[in-house]
Each structure stands twice: as structure tokens, then as C-alpha cells.
Amino acid sequence: MSDQHKGIIEAVKYLFPKIEHRQCARHVLSNFKKKFHGAQYEKLCWKACKASTEPLFNSAMKEIQMISPVAYVHLMGRNPNSWKKPIISMLEDIRLYVMHRMCSLRQKGSGRRQFDVCPNIRLAINELKIQQRYWQVLPSGLNTFETRSLGESYGVDLEKKTCTCRIWQMNGYGCVHSVAAISYVNRDVEAFVDPLYRACIYMNTYKYSIGSMNRSAMWPPTDYIPPLPPLKRKMPGRPIIKRKRGSTEVSGLHRVSKAGKKMGKGQRGEKGKGEGDTGSGIGFKTGEGECGSTSGVTKKNGKEGGTLKLRKKSERILKKKLAKKVAGKNGEGDTSSKPMDLD
């Protein structure tokens, strides 16, 4: 399995002509996203990669074709028969980790009976038993059944341990259709589980152990040339400091929006005005006057005094202007020296 590198593809064809060659689905999708952007393409592409039957694959590819015929042609030209979903496996290259893992798993399975099903497979079967209630089972032969749910229909053969959805053949312990058919005939679902998931096979897998070793200083010397690191060479241009992000990582800065926030001066004084707070710069009203700290009262009285003067001056100017207009309409003389009373 490779990452679509042209040199590797040609080399595998030349050196291993009879070996099946697979392509990593994640790399296929990564190259696909360089030309076709959007979450809908990624979702449908993974749907096609995970399809267990040809009709399901064709259905996903048809959806891609309806969105973009060019994208459909691009994917079909990448040999879909060789796509394979990447398997995330545990790193067993470190000797100490493998040694500890083999020992701990061997001790874990020592208390099970020989033909017991592994606990994880039993949990998966119990989940399928919950889902099988939505499927109707119709017998079509001695050990063959048809399972139906809304517009879906699949055939199950208990004797051959097969289902037309092909999931039973791939995982070895069954699918929701096979579990529904087995429950219909009142038989034990665990009896149809592949022997691969039995405790006896589990113990055979971990019966070997990795021996301990001394540290490298105690290794026997040899005449071979020790492996040396490659020579360092300075690459052209300035060195890259930032980490290279993957094609699926979200790039961009995260900034907090200031929308809806009010920023201003003297918010603390306005908040405490008339609420009985006796802190610095804040006063509270009691009958005729205001009480508070000395600095707060002085500042507040000075501000209110200036505001009162401006209001009185504006009222005098307004009264004079109104008096002139009234005098002009009635034909009388100028009465600006005696402004009319608006109170």
C-alpha cells in the first residue's frame, strides 16, 4: 500500500508484478482536495471508500457526479479498485513496549475458558442485538432468510455464514441482518462467531514472549561499519520555523470578536449613581443633598454646577427669541428687554 507516488507505483509493477497494489485512501482524498474544495466532497469520498458493496460505492460516486462531473472523472481515473482505508495500528517497533504488551495480554486471557468469545466481540454482538429489532425477517429456505427494513433488503445464509451486505464476511462475527436471522430461529449468536475470536486462538497469539536484553554497552563488538547519520546540508532560502500543517487541519488565527461590548469612561461612577455606594467617586442621594466621599462630592458638584449654568443660559436665549417672534407678529415694539414668562 502506497501514497500514490508515481515512482513507487511503477517500481511495484516492475518488481512485484503478481502482487496486489493498494493506494492509501487518505492520500487519495488529500490529493483530491487540492482541486475540489468543500466538506461535501470529503464526506462523499469517505462514503465511497468505506462502501462494502459495489452498489453502495456506485451510489456514493453518483452523488459526487451530480455535484461535479469533473470531480467524478478525477476519482474514477485514480483506479478505485486499489483504494484502501488506512489502518491505524499500535506502534510495536519499540522492543520494551512489545515485550510488556505480550506479557500483559497473555495474563489477561489466562482466566478465560477455551471456547469463550472475546469480550470486545461480545459487546459488539450485544449492540447488534439492540439494532436488529428494526428488521423484519422472512424465511426463504431451510437456512436462508430475507431481512427487510423500510426500503432496504438483504439475504442471509446461516449455513454458509454469509450476508449480501458482505459485512459478515469481512468482520467474522456478523451484521445486524445476520443477528436478526439467528434470533428469528432462536439460536445463539455467539455460536456463529468465527473461531478467530475464541479464547483458544487468543492464547495462541500471545503464547510467545520477547526475551530481555542487556544495554548497548554490553553488546558484543563486530567488524561491521556502524551506521552513520546522513551529512547535513544547508537548504536554499530561509529556514522554516513553523510546523507544516496537514491538508485536513484548519488554518487561520483565532480572534475574539468585540461585537456587542461597550467600552467607555466613568462606567463605575455611572453605575453607582444614586444606588447608595459610598466608595471613592460615588455618592448617594439622601433627601436634599448627596453624601459620599469628599473627592467624589467635589467632582460631582463641580460637574453638575457647570451643567446647571449652561441649562439656564440656554433657557434665557430661548425666551428672548420667542419674545421677538411674538412681538413681530402683533406689530408691537421690541420686548426683548422683558422676555415673556414661559413657566
Side-chain angles (χ1 to χ4, degrees), residues 249-311:
E249 289 188 72
V250 179
S251 60
L253 299 177
H254 177 70
R255 297 180 178 178
V256 180
S257 175
K258 295 184 179 180
K261 294 185 178 181
K262 296 181 180 180
M263 306 296 292
K265 298 180 179 180
Q267 289 184 353
R268 182 180 177 187
E270 293 178 0
K271 182 179 179 181
K273 184 177 180 180
E275 294 182 358
D277 189 351
T278 59
S280 175
I282 302 175
F284 61 94
K285 297 181 179 180
T286 56
E288 300 178 355
E290 295 180 358
C291 298
S293 64
T294 306
S295 59
V297 171
T298 305
K299 185 176 180 180
K300 192 170 184 180
N301 289 344
K303 184 178 180 181
E304 290 186 354
T307 306
L308 183 61
K309 289 180 181 181
L310 291 174
R311 186 168 65 243

Side-chain angles (χ1 to χ4, degrees), residues 48 57-66 72 75-76 83:
F57 173 81
N58 293 334
S59 176
M61 295 300 296
K62 187 175 181 180
E63 294 183 36
I64 297 176
Q65 186 179 17
M66 293 176 62
Y72 172 80
L75 287 176
M76 294 302 294
W83 294 358

